């Protein structure tokens, strides 16, 4: 994957019909958007195109659409409304993914106007055309416009008709500012980090993060491990972990990582337990080697919080992927919250969140502005950090 690619700065966009693939796959509950970070992060590209008098056509997927019934809750209409508020200008919403209504609306666009069409995955009901990267569909979308801009970082680890397909179908396809920014931050952290470089990895399962931990061990000075995955590491070392989440088939990998990591891996020294998977119950904090049966670890303890904070406060580069505990329960959010606090206390460091749930946690805990960069792509940033090729970006190579 060539990381230095052409962006919208490098092409003439004035008066051109520009199809922009954004990632507006945002959480929506009862018609209300729960987190608009992805919409906000797409604004620089959209505003640039408005300021340069392009005719802007936006497309995105939203959730999974398998049946006709799924369409009722998977419309992008609420996103178009939110975008109009953020832009302070009208956004024409077309409730179709193809056809005369869409084509006429595109033809009627004036320079500086914005149109958004319906969820690209509505095309999945009829034979997975979007998710299966159907080239006929992609050719059709590309035929409606003069050029294509790919700015959906959150979808970059997938090859869809609306990213890889339209890029292949179009003579002119360039990246937007969000993809440029995401790659800049992640690539700099991996190839040119300021040291000490501290990686923080958590989340439920070690199996999701094996490749990323191995990769980070070759780049970072320290890898702090918290969250549910820590118990697989403790178990692998022979400690009792009670009812804590554990992947028994990953004990060997955990030991392999521990010997690879040696002095780099920092595990919790105390943990916060509950006698049930719930916010309330019999809650107590114990040392990592004193977990009794009948209890499960749902957060890191106060000594671990202090220990992790020391590493974080000394760091010059911080990459974080995965919460430190079940932050969805307020009694077990302190570990995750404290990582945010420690990062906030070290504004000199480059700090990047690369996980979907950790990003949501940091935003919901009010730390949105305390990081250098909160990635809009959980899966995509994970795969980038693992060193994998991202098809939704490499499709722009040689363009
Ligand atoms: P990210 O999306 O940031 O990469 P993951 O998807 O890997 O993070 O993990 C997030 C989930 O991990 C959260 O839903 C959280 O509740 C869960 N989790 C964290 N710590 C624990 C734990 N000790 N036991 C069970 N689940 C945990
Ligand atoms: Mg997740």
């Amino acid at each position: 994957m060539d990381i230095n690619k052409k962006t919208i700065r490098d092409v003439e966009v004035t008066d051109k019909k520009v199809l922009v693939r954004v990632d507006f796959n945002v959480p929506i509950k009862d018609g209300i958007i729960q987190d608009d970070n992805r919409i906000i992060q797409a604004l620089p590209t959209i505003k640039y195109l408005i300021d340069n008098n392009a005719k802007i056509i936006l497309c995105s997927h939203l959730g999974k659409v398998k049946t006709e019934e799924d369409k009722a809750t998977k419309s992008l209409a609420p996103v178009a409304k939110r975008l109009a508020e953020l832009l302070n200008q009208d956004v024409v919403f077309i409730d179709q993914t193809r056809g005369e209504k869409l084509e006429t609306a595109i033809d009627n666009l004036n320079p500086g106007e914005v149109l958004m069409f319906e969820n690209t995955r509505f095309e999945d009901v009829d034979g997975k055309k979007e998710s299966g990267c159907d080239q006929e569909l992609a050719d059709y979308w590309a035929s409606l416009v003069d050029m294509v801009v790919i700015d959906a970082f959150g979808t970059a680890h997938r090859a869809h008709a609306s990213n890889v397909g339209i890029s292949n179908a179009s003579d002119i396809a360039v990246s937007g500012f969000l993809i440029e920014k995401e790659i800049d931050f992640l690539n700099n952290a991996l190839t040119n980090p300021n040291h000490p470089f501290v990686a923080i990895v958590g989340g439920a399962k070690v199996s999701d993060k094996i490749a990323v931990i191995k990769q980070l061990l070759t780049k970072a000075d320290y890898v702090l491990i918290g969250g549910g995955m820590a118990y697989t590491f403790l178990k692998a070392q022979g400690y009792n972990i009670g009812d804590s989440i554990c992947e028994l088939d990953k004990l060997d990998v955990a030991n392999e990582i521990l010997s690879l990591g040696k002095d780099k891996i920092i595990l919790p020294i105390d943990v916060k337990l509950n006698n049930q998977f719930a916010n309330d119950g019999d809650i107590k904090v114990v040392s990592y080697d004193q977990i009794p049966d009948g209890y499960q670890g749902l957060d890191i303890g106060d000594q671990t919080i202090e220990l992790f904070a020391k590493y974080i406060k000394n760091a010059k580069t911080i990459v974080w992927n995965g919460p430190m505990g079940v932050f969805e329960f307020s009694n077990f959010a302190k570990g995750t919250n404290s990582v945010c606090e420690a990062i906030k206390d070290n504004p000199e460091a480059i700090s990047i969140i690369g996980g979907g749930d950790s990003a949501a946690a940091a935003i919901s805990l009010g730390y949105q502005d305390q990081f250098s960069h909160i990635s809009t792509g959980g899966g995509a940033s994970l795969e980038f950090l693992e060193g994998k090729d991202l098809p939704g970006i490499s499709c722009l190579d040689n363009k």
Side-chain angles (χ1 to χ4, degrees):
M1 186 166 84
D2 171 15
I3 58 154
N4 298 310
K5 39 190 38 58
K6 272 194 194 163
T7 74
I8 41 178
R9 273 185 224 97
D10 303 312
V11 288
E12 179 59 53
V13 299
T14 304
D15 288 329
K16 298 284 197 293
K17 290 182 239 171
V18 182
L19 176 59
V20 189
R21 197 342 175 157
V22 285
D23 189 331
F24 283 167
N25 183 27
V26 294
I28 298 180
K29 213 167 142 195
D30 304 324
I32 295 163
I33 295 168
Q34 306 295 306
D35 172 3
D36 59 5
N37 184 40
R38 282 184 164 165
I39 308 176
I40 289 169
Q41 301 266 2
L43 293 176
T45 293
I46 299 169
K47 284 183 174 159
Y48 174 90
L49 290 168
I50 293 171
D51 291 345
N52 285 278
N53 284 310
K55 302 169 182 177
I56 302 137
I57 300 107
L58 302 174
C59 69
S60 173
H61 77 281
L62 175 68
K64 289 195 169 114
V65 186
K66 290 182 177 145
T67 62
E68 278 299 325
E69 292 73 61
D70 289 344
K71 291 183 177 177
T73 54
K74 293 291 182 294
S75 172
L76 277 172
V79 176
K81 196 163 157 252
R82 180 79 189 113
L83 177 65
E85 288 165 9
L86 290 166
L87 288 173
N88 203 14
Q89 86 171 54
D90 284 345
V91 172
V92 179
F93 181 69
I94 303 297
D95 60 356
Q96 311 277 320
T97 51
R98 63 170 92 203
E100 213 181 299
K101 187 172 166 189
L102 173 64
E103 292 157 23
T104 309
I106 291 177
D107 284 337
N108 288 339
L109 273 182
N110 292 310
E113 288 182 349
V114 180
L115 176 154
M116 184 161 145
F117 66 81
E118 190 50 285
N119 184 353
T120 52
R121 283 200 185 156
F122 278 23
E123 292 283 344
D124 276 355
V125 174
D126 180 19
K128 285 217 155 207
K129 290 206 164 87
E130 157 71 332
S131 301
C133 200
D134 180 82
Q135 198 55 46
E136 257 182 356
L137 175 62
D139 288 347
Y140 167 72
W141 281 332
S143 76
L144 305 176
V145 298
D146 300 309
M147 69 177 73
V148 159
V149 173
I150 304 292
D151 212 19
F153 182 77
T155 324
H157 57 317
R158 305 270 180 253
H160 281 2
S162 62
N163 59 356
V164 172
I166 59 172
S167 167
N168 290 342
S170 185
D171 289 339
I172 307 175
V174 295
S175 82
F177 296 134
L178 178 57
I179 282 197
E180 185 185 46
K181 177 180 169 194
E182 294 266 12
I183 296 288
D184 266 0
F185 270 106
L186 294 169
N187 190 58
N188 271 335
L190 286 187
T191 59
N192 194 20
N194 292 331
H195 294 275
F197 173 8
V198 173
I200 310 155
V201 187
K205 294 194 294 179
V206 68
S207 53
D208 293 339
K209 310 273 168 87
I210 293 166
V212 81
I213 295 174
K214 284 185 175 171
Q215 175 79 353
L216 288 169
L217 280 175
T218 69
K219 316 274 180 189
D221 301 295
Y222 299 102
V223 179
L224 317 181
I225 294 184
M229 71 168 63
Y231 302 94
T232 299
F233 286 94
L234 291 176
K235 176 91 183 167
Q237 293 172 287
Y239 296 111
N240 192 34
I241 57 163
D243 299 333
S244 305
I245 189 172
C246 181
E247 289 169 280
L248 289 173
D249 60 334
K250 292 292 175 289
L251 298 181
D252 287 350
V253 185
N255 273 322
E256 184 203 337
I257 290 175
L258 285 171
S259 60
L260 277 175
K262 284 198 193 79
D263 307 333
K264 286 191 175 183
I265 292 182
I266 315 294
L267 284 166
I269 50 174
D270 62 345
V271 290
K272 195 173 191 185
L273 310 174
N274 200 353
N275 61 341
Q276 53 187 351
F277 187 78
N279 190 41
D280 297 308
D282 186 20
I283 299 174
K284 53 178 162 190
V285 178
V286 301
S287 172
Y288 69 98
D289 54 357
Q290 299 293 323
I291 302 176
D293 288 335
Y295 286 80
Q296 51 189 294
L298 298 182
D299 198 5
I300 53 175
D302 285 339
Q303 289 180 36
T304 308
I305 287 174
E306 223 174 278
L307 176 71
F308 283 10
K310 247 186 237 164
Y311 284 96
I312 294 168
K313 286 177 188 170
N314 282 326
K316 295 234 163 60
T317 305
I318 302 160
V319 170
W320 179 20
N321 189 299
M324 295 293 98
V326 185
F327 70 92
E328 297 92 336
F329 296 152
S330 58
N331 285 335
F332 300 95
K334 191 176 173 191
T336 302
N337 201 31
S338 303
V339 166
C340 294
E341 274 296 318
I343 292 172
K344 182 181 170 187
D345 287 345
N346 183 1
E348 310 277 279
I350 300 286
S351 55
I352 304 165
I353 304 187
D357 287 288
S358 0
I363 292 169
S364 75
L365 293 168
Y367 292 93
Q368 177 135 16
D369 301 325
Q370 308 300 333
F371 293 84
S372 312
H373 181 57
I374 299 183
S375 175
T376 56
S381 61
L382 193 66
E383 293 197 15
F384 188 88
L385 291 172
E386 288 171 3
K388 281 193 190 154
D389 179 66
L390 301 177
I393 297 178
S394 58
C395 61
L396 296 171
D397 292 356
N398 311 318
K399 276 284 174 187

